[in-house]
Amino acid sequence: MKWKIIAFTIFMCFLLVGCTEQAYEPKEMNKETDICKVCNMGIAFEDYAGQLIYKNGDYEVFDDLGCLVEFLKDVDESDVGAAFIKSADGEEWLSVEEATYVYSKDYWTPMNYGVLAFPSKDAAEQYMKEHGEGEVLSYEQLDDFQWGIHH
Amino acid sequence: MRTMISCLSFLLFCLAYVHEAEAKADLQSILEHQEEGATIYIPAGIYEGNFTISKEATIIGDGKVVLKPKNPKEPVLTIAEAKHVYLQNVQINAPGTGMMIKDSHHVQLSNLSMSSVESGVEIYQSQHISIEEISVTGNDRHFANKGNGIAVFNSSDIFVKNNKIDKVQDGIYIENVQRITVVGNEVENSRYGTHFMYSKDAEAYGNQFRKNVTGFMVMMTENVDFSNNAISYQNGFNGTGITLYEVKNIHIQNHAVSGNRVAISIQKSTGANITNNRFQMNQTAIEAVQSDTNLVMKNVFVGNLVNVRSDVKGIQLKENYFDDYSGIDLNDDGIGDESYAALQSFGQWMVRKPVYQYYVESPSVVLLNQIDQQTNKTAKQLLVDETPATNFEKDHAVHFQLHWPQLVVGWILMIGCIMIWRRSVIV
């Protein structure tokens, strides 16, 4: 009886593990070989890079948030496991859906789209205090954002 | 006597040192206090500081003039809010930015040399700028950690001629610029030879780009004319000779593009005219991705693994010479009697999955290409040249050119040989 309980417990543990949502980890960039899926530019500025991970484990990399958002419009959402963007300080990968964004024509990015990602609204406001005002955007607003140069 | 020589040497050393020290101290004040339009000859020497020019002036290095920064985070030389500035014959050694031109017009730089710089010349909001015969050498770090050789932002009427640039991120970076001419420059060992972004009305000719990731990277740019550039050995994993991304109205003609992974990559672009170029020994000569209506006409394709590939439509072929064309020309008009099918299933797959490039020329791929050649001749809508050229030698005239030194040396050698032979016969 004791063995049955142990076996049942182990079986349930495995079942629970199987049921948990798969965690997708951002991969490390390779400056030599990684190029943006959309515009073909090399990932020379890793602090602005983005990446998309498919559920099957494949991934695509992007040199700028704008390229990542453009790619997401054309991809089947059910195939996407996760999408990440580097935070403005280049320190961490942020989930694109959870990040806060700030646009300013004076912010530089590799494609000059001028949109930076932050882990929180506070971090975004702090950045604006130090580097000049910008317009705060949510992930949903990026969908209609006019990507391009705005000089 | 020895004592006298020692004293004299010491005196001369002191004099030289004092002269240099005075010059160092005075250069910025000379630049500040000179009259508008003056000509300044800078004596040979090493000058340390971060210098600013804000007046009309002609500044000429008289001998070996070397500028070094006092504050390495600032440009060594800044031309700000100035007009009609001519600077020549100066050497800049700096770990950061060599020169910056800002809010100025009619500035001419020539015969400058910059070594071990992170970034060579940066130009912002300026008009009528000419940069000629300067050399910029970067450092050996990865290009992700370097600046550009010559970078131009938000400016117009720029002329960049005969510059030599090595080991930087982008040799010439052009952003939001109207009317720029890039001619006779050489860029090697960098990320992009010349990088156009958001610009209009550009021309580039007579440039040489070798061993970079990409020769020309042209993005979101309109009205571009490229001609007579030599683009070779951009053969890294992502190497391309010319990449066009969302480009409108571009003409690419009379190029020699050889030894690249992809010679020309056309992405999301329409209306490109690619004529009279020679694509030689590239892995792929021309690829089109999500593009439409680009004309490829009267080009020569020799020794490429894949001549043309496309994911959808993108390329219209006309009167090109393909070295693997096996048709005949019965009426001898220079146009083959059968169409040439450039469509290769494998080429299409390579567009989608670049890693397939490693299977090129494997027996199964060769067989697949042969099958494609037979089956696609009847297709008329995609990658078929209905009028393939059978001969690419446009000019059959033989050009004679006398090389006098060789002729004279040859004659002397021949007469000498005859004389030695005669002497040996007489003996």
Side-chain angles (χ1 to χ4, degrees), chain A residues 70-81:
Chain A
E70 189 178 331
F71 188 79
L72 280 167
K73 285 177 185 174
D74 300 329
V75 78
D76 189 342
E77 211 173 306
S78 62
D79 294 336
V80 178

Side-chain angles (χ1 to χ4, degrees), chain B residues 34-189:
Chain B
Q34 47 107 0
E35 284 179 23
E36 289 278 354
T39 300
I40 301 164
Y41 289 92
I42 307 174
I46 300 169
Y47 300 85
E48 194 175 295
N50 298 88
F51 306 101
T52 302
I53 300 167
S54 51
K55 284 183 176 176
E56 189 177 323
T58 299
I59 298 156
I60 301 166
D62 189 6
K64 191 179 177 182
V65 173
V66 180
L67 305 185
K68 286 183 171 180
K70 199 166 190 174
N71 177 0
K73 290 181 179 175
E74 294 292 321
V76 180
L77 190 59
T78 302
I79 298 172
E81 296 177 13
K83 58 183 180 181
H84 298 289
V85 175
Y86 304 95
L87 175 71
Q88 45 183 286
N89 200 24
V90 169
Q91 189 177 318
I92 294 174
N93 293 349
T97 302
M99 269 194 74
M100 184 190 284
I101 300 170
K102 206 169 179 181
D103 302 311
S104 299
H105 62 88
H106 293 92
V107 175
Q108 199 172 343
L109 310 179
S110 63
N111 291 306
L112 306 183
S113 164
M114 301 184 193
S115 55
S116 306
V117 291
E118 186 178 291
S119 175
V121 182
E122 294 177 3
I123 301 165
Y124 299 91
Q125 295 93 35
S126 297
Q127 296 78 40
H128 298 284
I129 309 294
S130 169
I131 301 171
E132 292 184 46
E133 313 220 354
I134 75 168
S135 79
V136 180
T137 308
N139 50 52
D140 289 316
R141 294 200 300 263
H142 190 275
F143 57 68
N145 305 316
K146 296 192 253 197
N148 304 308
I150 297 167
V152 191
F153 302 86
N154 311 321
S155 300
S156 63
D157 301 292
I158 309 293
F159 190 68
V160 182
K161 185 183 177 184
N162 293 351
N163 303 291
K164 289 190 176 180
I165 301 168
D166 193 16
K167 296 181 189 172
V168 295
Q169 187 170 102
D170 296 347
I172 302 161
Y173 179 81
I174 298 153
E175 185 181 298
N176 198 30
V177 171
Q178 291 198 4
R179 295 179 300 280
I180 179 163
T181 301
V182 178
V183 51
N185 301 284
E186 291 177 27
V187 183
E188 291 188 7
N189 306 309

